[in-house]
């Protein structure tokens, strides 16, 4: 018997002695495989069109979806355009890291992350070296402003622009509340509290 084209898990009708039975999820097509990504070096800012080569990407109606996974999480490579069962084209999302891996999902199956699927990011801002924590915003703002000075793009808005970039990058730590020191609360104080 010849297996029809398809992806994922499928149910089978098994006939024996004129009796047909449905067996659910018994057959599984091979999972998608990524064998190469071209180009394999793309800007960290995103927006680069890449070609993903491999196998078992299904047909146009199977809606294969590519994504980029890295140390900063996973993001869809949108739109993912079907070329063939062995080729997809997509536009990279922005990343906040030096490298990642392309994965393809189709028919409830996901390709493995292997060295052939590796993507390196170029033009990575210096503030990506800043790590999460209380000093992230200071590290990020310094690196951002220094980079703008080096490129000659620093102007009167640089501080505000870098604050926004670093707010997004460091996870909104600018809003982290800090309690004032010397806070006293008590019924004997005129307003119920005092700050010294």
């Amino acid at each position: 018997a010849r297996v029809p084209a398809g992806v994922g898990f499928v149910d089978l009708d098994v006939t024996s002695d004129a009796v047909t039975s449905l067996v659910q999820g018994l057959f599984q097509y091979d999972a998608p495989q990524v064998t190469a990504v071209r180009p394999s070096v793309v800007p960290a800012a995103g927006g680069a069109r890449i070609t993903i080569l491999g196998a078992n990407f299904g047909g146009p109606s199977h809606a294969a979806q590519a994504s980029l996974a890295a140390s900063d999480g996973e993001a869809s490579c949108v739109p993912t355009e079907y070329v063939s069962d062995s080729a997809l084209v997509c536009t990279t999302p922005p990343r906040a890291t030096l490298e990642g891996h392309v994965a393809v999902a189709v028919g409830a199956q996901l390709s493995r992350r292997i060295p052939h699927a590796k993507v390196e990011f170029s033009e990575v801002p210096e503030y990506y070296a800043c790590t999460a924590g209380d000093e992230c915003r200071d590290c990020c703002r310094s690196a951002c402003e220094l980079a703008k000075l080096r490129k000659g793009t620093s102007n009167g808005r640089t501080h505000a622009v870098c604050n926004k970039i670093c707010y997004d990058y460091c996870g909104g730590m600018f809003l982290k509340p800090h309690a004032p020191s010397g806070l006293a609360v008590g019924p004997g104080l005129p307003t119920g509290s005092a700050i010294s």
Side-chain angles (χ1 to χ4, degrees):
R2 184 179 172 142
V3 177
V7 298
F9 302 88
V10 293
D11 300 335
L12 295 178
D13 287 326
V14 178
T15 304
S16 177
D17 296 328
V19 176
T20 300
S21 299
L22 175 67
V23 182
Q24 295 182 335
L26 180 66
F27 182 78
Q28 174 182 348
Y29 285 93
D30 290 336
Q33 268 184 324
V34 177
T35 57
V37 179
R38 304 240 164 69
S40 62
V41 179
V42 296
R49 292 193 36 94
I50 60 173
T51 300
I52 303 162
L53 303 173
N56 308 322
F57 296 160
S61 64
H62 293 122
Q65 178 62 50
S67 62
L68 270 171
S71 61
D72 62 340
E74 187 162 353
S76 292
C77 196
V78 187
T80 299
E81 301 167 18
Y82 178 84
V83 176
S84 72
D85 181 63
S86 59
L88 302 171
V89 174
C90 69
T91 303
T92 60
R95 303 309 316 184
T97 188
L98 297 175
E99 65 183 33
H101 286 84
V102 173
V104 173
V106 62
Q109 292 178 302
L110 182 66
S111 64
R112 293 184 336 198
R113 287 175 175 79
I114 57 174
H116 302 299
K118 184 178 172 182
V119 175
E120 293 180 14
F121 302 106
S122 64
E123 304 165 26
V124 178
E126 291 180 33
Y127 59 82
Y128 282 4
C130 300
T131 57
D134 290 335
E135 290 81 34
C136 182
R137 67 174 186 247
D138 295 329
C139 171
C140 179
R141 192 171 33 232
S142 295
C144 177
E145 290 176 2
L146 183 60
K148 291 191 176 297
L149 280 172
R150 285 183 185 149
K151 288 182 184 177
T153 58
S154 182
N155 58 37
R157 297 199 55 228
T158 298
H159 187 73
V161 168
C162 287
N163 271 344
K164 168 71 172 111
I165 289 169
C166 296
Y167 175 83
D168 292 342
Y169 177 74
C170 294
M173 288 190 295
F174 291 137
L175 299 178
K176 188 175 181 181
H178 295 284
S181 62
L183 180 64
V185 178
L189 299 171
T191 61
S193 64
I195 299 176
S196 55

